[in-house]
């Protein structure tokens, strides 16, 4: 059994439990919105966005042909009248943020051109230099990383972390540079599922992803891993966050009174523990905005009772999701078939083709993905896709209850643009042993922590750290040439990751997947791997810091090189909560001893471990 841990967040507050029923009533009131608008965009507008309340349309599909996907993308930006900046990737036909659809073994050739404009020219932030890069070889020859630099990270793919493939530590393309060529081959054994691509410019990742610079990448063949999906229509839904469209608006009068309202150091609404009030960020679904305070829902059209595969990406910069589908206020069963691009049971010798884990809600950290079976409402009935509140801790943002879309059933609903194969060939057996059955060569111990301006105010963090036990916490330095960790290709390791801060963090590592073994001191029994996972926050009263234990897979030779691990709340990563690991061939050169256990919260620790002044 999957154990439900993929859905697990810190326990909800009493206030949330008291108001859980009322939010359903609030959501149901959204049925009263008028007929949906077409998803219109202004002609010729850069990074155009649909109107609130529009029908959700699918991103364009760019498919490989004869084993090759050869495309051109342009990175663009545009300034809103209220000062917000939109970002997007546009293909040669003007289609914004297209899905890239590839097969295992395909060659991807992607030409990226940067035409972004510097709307804040001369500002200290814009001029800040993080790292250097040469256009052709990604070596140090005077390139910078700033607000109008770009590059691409192919999130979740097991491809080399090298120049022209998936390097984000040195590659930085500037406006006016010639097109930069990405060229890589999708591994023959890459798991079929939902991945994504986005810029990874350290110090500016949040700004660009928050502005919409993200899109899906699908490795085809999930129906080969799960025969029950054969012939099923599929939908790709990308949920993004963005700065509030109406930041000065009061909450809707239909909401309960919020007892207190706080702003964190970044100007976002801080977690108030109720699930209501002003959210830290607005959300959108396939760019259709669902703005605070009234949250006019987008519209998803389905044929009555039709079963579809929904592939949902949380491309938010900082917002957690807790998705649920409601018909007449009743949560509907959703059949989970893949997490973070990997089908449930993929890699297990005794995996059962056709497996789905049926649940009623999915927790999705920023950067994570879930793929699940959903059935449309009966004819004439309307459903709701909602996200519930997530308790992000005293230092976290306010991720509120809100509806995202009405699900409108009709026998005349348009066919989804993509459908899975009807008679797929089963995938060949996996050659590698299941990760959970491989003994680790060591146990590492890492922890999240923060530096607070005011030790009594958990929302006042100014520096963020991800540190190996025994080392001094420090912000990540892009100019450093020394990796924080060294591992040996061909091995697996266990990592214990603690959270010594008072806000939720999402751990992510590039180039590979890992298996969750332990959550809050309790063993779990998951039959899937992932690339992003929550690490619960410290509430100041626990006897030990909250922690997880994961088994990290360094067996694939494609991952040899240096790559990052970080918190996928991108403002945390931008402000230092990142490290690098170098995977080497041959003997293990790290010289690190195996350690285990967990620091006790009651033991004296330097103040910076708890987020206090250094």
């Amino acid at each position: 059994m999957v154990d439900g841990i993929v859905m697990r967040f810190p326990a909800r507050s009493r206030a949330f439990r008291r108001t859980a029923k009322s939010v359903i009533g609030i959501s149901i009131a959204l049925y009263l919105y008028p007929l949906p608008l077409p998803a219109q965009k202004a002609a010729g507008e850069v990074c155009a966005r649909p109107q609130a309340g529009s029908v959700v349309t699918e991103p364009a599909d760019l498919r490989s042909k004869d084993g090759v996907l050869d495309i051109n993308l342009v990175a663009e930006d545009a300034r809103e009248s209220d000062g917000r900046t939109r970002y997007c990737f546009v293909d040669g036909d003007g289609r914004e943020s297209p899905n890239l659809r590839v097969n295992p073994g395909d060659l991807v050739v992607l030409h990226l051109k940067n035409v972004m404009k510097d709307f804040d020219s001369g500002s200290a932030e814009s001029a800040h230099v993080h790292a250097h890069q040469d256009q052709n070889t990604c070596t140090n020859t005077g390139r910078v990383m700033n607000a109008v630099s770009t590059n691409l990270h192919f999130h979740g793919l097991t491809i080399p972390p090298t120049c022209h493939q998936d390097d984000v530590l040195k590659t930085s393309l500037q406006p006016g540079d010639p097109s930069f060529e990405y060229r890589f081959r999708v591994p023959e054994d890459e798991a079929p599922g939902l991945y994504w691509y986005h810029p990874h410019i350290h110090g500016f990742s949040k700004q660009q992803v928050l502005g919409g610079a993200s899109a899906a990448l699908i490795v085809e063949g999930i129906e080969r891993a799960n025969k029950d999906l054969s012939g099923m229509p599929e939908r790709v839904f990308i949920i993004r966050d963005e700065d509030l469209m109406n930041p000065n608006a009061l909450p809707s009068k239909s909401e309960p009174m919020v007892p207190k309202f706080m702003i964190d150091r970044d100007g976002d609404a801080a977690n108030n523990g109720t699930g209501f009030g002003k959210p830290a960020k607005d959300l959108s679904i396939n760019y259709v905005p669902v703005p605070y305070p009234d949250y006019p829902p987008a519209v998803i059209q389905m044929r009555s009772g039709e079963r579809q595969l929904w592939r949902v990406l949380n491309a938010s910069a900082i917002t957690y999701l807790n998705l649920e589908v409601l018909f007449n206020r009743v949560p509907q069963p959703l059949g989970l078939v893949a997490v973070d691009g990997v089908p449930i049971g993929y890699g297990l010798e005794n995996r059962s083709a056709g497996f789905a884990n049926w649940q009623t809600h999915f927790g999705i950290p920023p950067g994570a993905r879930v793929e699940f079976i959903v059935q449309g409402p009966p004819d004439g009935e309307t459903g709701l896709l909602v996200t519930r509140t997530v308790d992000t801790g005293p230092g976290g943002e306010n991720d509120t209850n809100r509806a995202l879309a009405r699900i409108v059933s009709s026998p005349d609903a348009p066919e989804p643009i993509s459908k899975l194969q009807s008679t797929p060939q089963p995938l060949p057996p996996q050659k590698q042993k299941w990760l959970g059955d491989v003994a680790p060569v060591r146990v590492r111990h890492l922890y999240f922590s923060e530096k607070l301006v005011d030790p009594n105010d958990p929302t006042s963090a100014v520096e963020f750290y991800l540190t190996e036990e025994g080392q001094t916490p420090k912000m990540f330095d892009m100019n450093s040439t020394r990796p924080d960790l060294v591992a040996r290709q061909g091995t697996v390791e266990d990592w214990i990751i603690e959270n010594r801060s008072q806000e939720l963090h999402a751990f992510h590592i590039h180039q590979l997947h890992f298996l969750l073994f332990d959550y809050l001191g309790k063993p779990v029994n998951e039959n899937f791997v992932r690339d992003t996972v929550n690490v619960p926050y410290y509430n100041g009263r626990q006897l030990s810091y909250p922690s997880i234990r994961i088994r990290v897979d360094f067996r694939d030779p494609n991952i040899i090189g240096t790559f990052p691990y970080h918190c996928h709340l991108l403002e945390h990563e931008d402000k230092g909560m990142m490290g690098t690991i170098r995977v080497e061939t041959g003997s293990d050169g790290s010289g690190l001893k195996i350690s285990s256990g967990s620091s006790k919260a009651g033991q004296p620790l330097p103040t910076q471990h708890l987020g206090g002044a250094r």
Side-chain angles (χ1 to χ4, degrees):
M1 183 171 174
V2 175
D3 191 87
I5 197 71
V6 67
M7 309 312 139
R8 192 169 295 171
F9 288 108
R12 297 184 177 100
S13 65
R14 291 193 189 96
F16 170 76
R17 292 194 295 269
R18 286 196 303 267
T19 54
K21 292 183 179 179
S22 68
V23 70
I24 295 176
I26 293 167
S27 298
I28 294 301
L30 295 171
Y31 283 114
L32 302 177
Y33 274 84
L35 292 174
L37 300 168
Q40 295 178 343
K41 301 179 181 181
E45 186 179 358
V46 174
C47 300
R49 300 289 188 258
Q51 300 176 48
S54 297
V55 173
V56 176
T57 58
E58 303 284 319
D61 283 330
L62 302 185
R63 298 178 182 271
S64 61
K65 184 178 181 181
D66 298 327
V68 179
L69 178 63
D70 192 337
I71 58 171
N72 296 302
L73 288 180
V74 175
E76 300 188 1
D77 62 350
R79 180 58 58 92
E80 299 266 16
S81 59
D82 60 7
R84 295 178 302 155
T85 303
R86 303 190 302 264
Y87 296 84
C88 62
F89 296 107
V90 179
D91 75 353
D93 292 325
R95 295 172 293 194
E96 185 176 336
S97 303
N99 298 329
L100 306 185
R101 288 185 174 268
V102 296
N103 297 290
D106 281 352
L107 176 67
V108 176
V109 183
L110 190 157
H111 309 273
L112 179 62
K113 175 72 174 174
N114 185 352
V115 300
M116 291 195 290
K117 301 177 179 63
D118 189 351
F119 299 106
D120 298 312
S121 180
S123 69
E125 181 181 53
S126 178
H128 188 56
V129 176
H130 279 297
H132 299 276
Q133 176 260 346
D134 177 79
Q135 175 63 33
N136 296 311
T137 60
C138 306
T139 57
N140 297 337
T141 59
R143 297 288 173 173
V144 301
M145 286 191 177
N146 58 32
V148 290
S149 305
T150 196
N151 60 17
L152 287 177
H153 169 45
F154 302 97
H155 185 123
L157 289 186
T158 311
I159 58 177
T162 58
C163 181
H164 301 286
Q165 298 197 63
D166 194 30
D167 166 65
V168 299
L169 297 172
K170 297 177 181 178
T171 304
S172 178
L173 183 62
Q174 309 306 312
D177 284 346
S179 291
F180 183 87
E181 183 180 273
Y182 285 92
R183 177 182 288 265
F184 61 87
R185 191 168 295 278
V186 180
E188 292 280 358
D189 60 352
E190 192 74 86
L194 177 61
Y195 301 82
W196 64 302
Y197 61 98
H198 62 89
H200 204 290
I201 296 292
H202 184 64
F204 304 91
S205 295
K206 172 194 169 185
Q207 178 177 333
Q208 296 189 17
V209 172
L210 191 67
S214 58
L217 188 155
I218 295 117
V219 176
E220 304 280 25
I222 191 171
E223 68 276 25
R224 299 180 64 197
N226 188 329
K227 64 181 182 181
D228 282 0
L229 302 178
S230 300
M232 191 173 290
E234 58 172 318
R235 311 284 292 272
V236 176
F237 294 125
I238 304 175
I239 300 176
R240 301 172 173 93
D241 59 5
E242 59 183 302
D243 286 329
L244 295 178
M245 190 179 298
N246 307 302
N248 299 317
L250 295 174
S252 170
K253 292 181 179 179
S254 63
E255 286 195 359
M257 182 68 66
V258 176
K260 59 180 179 178
F261 177 69
M262 298 184 298
I263 296 291
D264 68 16
R265 191 168 180 84
D266 294 303
D268 299 323
N271 181 28
N272 60 40
T274 70
F276 297 99
K278 183 183 295 186
K281 301 295 179 189
D282 279 336
L283 292 174
S284 68
I285 178 167
N286 289 6
Y287 288 126
V288 178
V290 187
Y292 165 84
D294 295 322
Y295 306 122
V299 175
I300 296 173
Q301 297 176 324
M302 293 183 72
R303 296 192 175 184
S304 308
E306 182 178 52
R307 284 161 58 92
Q308 296 182 350
L309 174 66
W310 284 13
R311 314 182 103 153
V312 179
L313 158 63
N314 184 1
S316 298
I318 67 170
T319 303
Y320 291 88
L321 301 175
N322 189 4
L323 295 185
E324 193 170 62
V325 171
L326 301 171
F327 296 171
N328 287 326
R329 307 189 182 191
V330 178
Q332 298 300 297
L334 306 171
L336 182 71
V337 296
V339 175
D340 288 352
V342 183
I344 300 294
Y346 185 82
L348 282 170
E349 292 182 5
N350 60 346
R351 64 184 170 90
S352 172
F355 180 83
N357 179 253
W358 292 89
Q359 305 187 32
T360 58
H361 67 107
F362 298 140
I364 319 176
R369 291 86 67 208
V370 291
E371 298 171 71
F372 55 91
I373 301 166
V374 63
Q375 187 166 5
D379 193 20
E381 191 172 316
T382 300
L384 282 175
L385 174 65
V386 306
T387 181
R388 298 289 197 185
T389 185
V390 174
D391 182 5
T392 61
E397 282 79 21
N398 202 32
D399 292 344
T400 59
N401 300 293
R402 51 191 133 168
L404 295 174
R406 288 188 297 145
I407 305 171
V408 179
S409 66
S410 167
D412 301 322
E415 286 271 3
I417 62 174
S418 185
K419 182 177 286 190
L420 302 174
Q421 296 180 72
S422 297
T423 55
Q425 292 296 315
L427 287 172
Q430 292 293 294
K431 297 178 181 179
Q432 285 191 324
K433 198 173 182 179
W434 170 243
L435 181 57
D437 296 332
V438 182
V441 299
R442 70 180 61 203
V443 180
R444 299 186 194 263
H445 189 166
L446 291 82
Y447 61 93
F448 291 107
S449 62
E450 301 175 1
K451 178 180 177 180
L452 305 179
V453 171
D454 178 357
N456 297 314
D457 179 3
T459 70
S460 65
V462 290
E463 294 183 5
F464 296 81
Y465 315 120
L466 179 49
T467 312
E468 185 176 24
E469 184 64 65
Q471 303 297 313
T472 301
K474 64 181 187 304
M475 296 174 66
F476 178 71
D477 179 9
M478 279 292 289
N479 293 312
S480 175
T481 58
R482 182 178 180 180
D484 297 281
L485 305 174
V486 178
R488 179 185 174 185
Q489 185 270 322
T491 67
V492 304
E493 299 183 353
D494 276 10
W495 291 12
I496 295 170
I497 306 172
E498 286 183 348
N499 190 348
R500 301 180 183 179
S501 77
Q502 290 190 276
E503 65 177 309
L504 192 60
H505 295 296
F507 176 81
H508 169 61
I509 186 168
H510 290 210
Q511 319 314 131
L512 56 85
H513 284 71
F514 52 80
L515 179 65
L516 181 63
F517 258 80
D518 180 284
Y519 189 91
L520 286 175
K522 296 181 180 180
V524 299
N525 183 29
E526 293 189 339
N527 57 354
F528 58 90
V529 294
R530 51 171 109 207
D531 59 42
T532 307
V533 66
N534 295 316
V535 186
Y537 65 84
Y538 175 59
N539 66 13
R541 301 181 302 276
Q542 293 147 299
L543 297 179
S544 61
Y545 291 114
S547 68
I548 64 170
R549 186 183 184 117
I550 61 176
R551 184 151 297 169
V552 188
D553 194 350
F554 298 109
R555 290 176 294 174
D556 198 310
N558 279 322
I559 69 172
I560 292 171
T562 302
F563 51 89
Y565 53 89
H566 58 87
C567 177
H568 216 284
L569 274 75
L570 294 181
E571 69 182 16
H572 298 173
E573 182 260 305
D574 283 339
K575 294 181 180 179
M577 197 168 263
M578 186 164 90
T580 56
I581 183 165
R582 185 172 68 228
V583 177
E584 299 178 339
T585 58
S587 61
D588 188 344
S590 66
L592 297 174
K593 297 179 180 179
I594 294 178
S595 62
S596 62
S598 168
S599 298
K600 300 298 183 182
Q603 294 178 350
L605 290 170
T607 54
Q608 64 265 30
H609 287 242
L610 294 173
R614 299 184 71 178

